[in-house]
């Protein structure tokens, strides 16, 4: 039986020997690093650099979660997700969450609770997504970007949890934020 330890073993580290920028776009950058492995051999790692983002679970006083429905080009389908967006420069995650909540659903929140963060793709992407629960909502107008097209959808909290369990919400940040909020509400 394997012994699991919380200590980080030094032998698993990979030393970066060189780094080459391959692509620099509006949302992501791509680099190719040459690394030294613990065996003494070298290998290459392709890394997508992303500034990170947030998702916000807006919960109404009636116990409904506010979702956005939008077309996601890589999958060529419309997906149901929590309001989310990428951080601008060194923007603090909480400020990004407040901005995205206002932009996408036109809401401000009386109370915002940090639900933690996740690494959506650990093998080749530096993106970190911070998750928040927003309560005590006050609604105004959306402030969508000119190239942003979304529908706002309200779903009862427990129904949304069941949708996650049934696999009807494939987006990882949305799944995790809903399940974390469920555990938080059950305490």
């Amino acid at each position: 039986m394997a012994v699991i330890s919380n200590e980080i073993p030094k032998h698993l580290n990979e030393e970066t020997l060189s780094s080459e920028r391959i692509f620099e776009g509006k949302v992501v950058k791509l680099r190719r690093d040459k690394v030294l492995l613990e065996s003494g051999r070298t290998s290459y790692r392709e890394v997508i650099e992303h500034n990170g983002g947030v998702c916000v679970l807006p919960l109404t006083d009636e116990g409904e979660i506010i979702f956005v429905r939008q077309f996601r080009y890589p999958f060529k389908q419309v997906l149901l997700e929590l309001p989310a967006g990428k951080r601008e420069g060194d923007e603090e995650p909480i400020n990004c969450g407040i901005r995205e909540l206002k932009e996408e659903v036109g809401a401000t929140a009386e109370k915002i609770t940090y639900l933690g963060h996740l690494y959506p793709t650990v093998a080749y992407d530096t993106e970190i997504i911070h998750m928040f629960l927003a309560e005590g909502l006050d609604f105004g107008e959306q402030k969508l970007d000119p190239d942003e097209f979304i529908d706002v959808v309200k779903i009862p909290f427990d129904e949304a949890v069941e949708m996650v369990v049934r696999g009807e919400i494939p987006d990882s940040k949305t799944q995790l934020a809903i399940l974390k909020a469920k555990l938080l509400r059950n305490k």
Side-chain angles (χ1 to χ4, degrees):
M1 172 183 260
V3 177
I4 298 174
S5 170
N6 288 331
E7 291 182 38
I8 298 173
K10 290 184 173 119
H11 72 93
L12 294 178
N13 288 327
E14 297 178 354
E15 179 185 343
T16 304
L17 301 174
S18 64
S19 189
E20 169 192 15
R21 173 80 62 219
I22 295 172
F23 173 78
E24 190 160 337
K26 181 180 173 185
V27 177
V28 298
K29 297 173 187 169
L30 175 62
R31 71 174 197 263
R32 184 173 187 241
D33 293 351
K34 183 176 182 179
V35 299
L36 179 62
L37 305 175
E38 68 178 273
S39 66
R41 295 182 61 206
T42 60
S43 189
Y44 291 92
R45 302 290 183 246
E46 292 173 349
V47 179
I48 296 171
E49 298 172 354
H50 187 284
N51 202 39
V54 302
C55 78
V56 181
L57 189 157
L59 185 61
T60 68
D61 293 341
E62 295 76 35
E64 297 170 311
I65 297 175
I66 300 174
F67 291 89
V68 295
R69 192 177 283 141
Q70 61 187 324
F71 184 77
R72 289 302 194 180
Y73 185 82
F75 299 100
K76 303 284 194 231
Q77 65 185 119
V78 175
L79 295 177
L80 188 66
E81 304 171 53
L82 292 176
K86 68 181 185 312
R87 292 174 55 208
E88 302 295 336
D90 61 354
E91 179 181 35
E92 288 297 319
I94 184 86
N95 295 334
C96 180
I98 290 167
R99 178 176 50 79
E100 289 295 335
L101 182 63
K102 181 68 176 166
E103 287 177 6
E104 293 193 359
V105 299
T108 57
E110 185 177 295
K111 179 183 177 189
I112 297 182
T113 305
Y114 187 62
L115 296 174
H117 64 277
L118 71 106
Y119 300 162
T121 313
V122 297
Y124 55 83
D125 189 349
T126 65
E127 182 178 20
I128 298 172
I129 299 176
H130 298 270
M131 301 169 290
F132 297 92
L133 170 63
E135 299 171 284
L137 303 176
D138 186 40
F139 293 93
E141 284 188 38
Q142 289 175 301
K143 296 186 182 197
L144 297 174
D145 294 331
D147 60 352
E148 193 171 31
F149 306 96
I150 63 173
D151 289 338
V152 176
V153 179
K154 292 181 182 178
I155 298 174
F157 191 95
D158 288 336
E159 182 179 334
V161 171
E162 288 303 315
M163 291 173 73
V164 168
V165 172
R166 289 191 305 261
E168 296 170 13
I169 299 176
D171 178 59
S172 65
K173 68 185 179 303
T174 299
Q175 288 181 356
L176 188 56
I178 289 170
L179 296 177
K180 282 188 149 197
K182 173 71 172 170
L183 289 172
L184 186 65
R185 291 181 76 197
N186 285 348
K187 286 187 175 182

